[in-house]
Amino acid sequence: MLCLKCRTLWPAGSARCGSCGGSFGGRLCPKGHPSPSSAARCVRCGSSELTLGVAYLSLRPFFL
């Protein structure tokens, strides 16, 4: 996976970028619950402490 915010590569299936701290494919609360990128609060527990959702590029089709 390539984080498009900081251009760092991470293993396939990673939930977060270890470099910039953004979460791939949505936002995460401190408990790890996923929410849509547009969410202001966690859809499961209501926490307002959410990671920044970042765009990513999956490189899996290029590596078999």
Side-chain angles (χ1 to χ4, degrees):
M1 300 179 87
L2 174 66
C3 175
L4 296 179
K5 180 178 181 193
C6 67
R7 307 282 193 245
T8 306
L9 285 172
W10 295 99
S14 297
R16 296 180 71 167
C17 176
S19 182
C20 71
S23 52
F24 302 127
R27 300 179 82 180
L28 298 173
C29 75
K31 294 181 181 179
H33 303 143
S35 294
S37 295
S38 61
R41 295 190 168 274
C42 175
V43 296
R44 187 164 173 198
C45 69
S47 174
S48 61
E49 296 179 40
L50 297 173
T51 60
L52 175 65
V54 295
Y56 68 94
L57 177 63
S58 174
L59 301 176
R60 185 163 292 251
F62 302 107
F63 302 102
L64 297 175

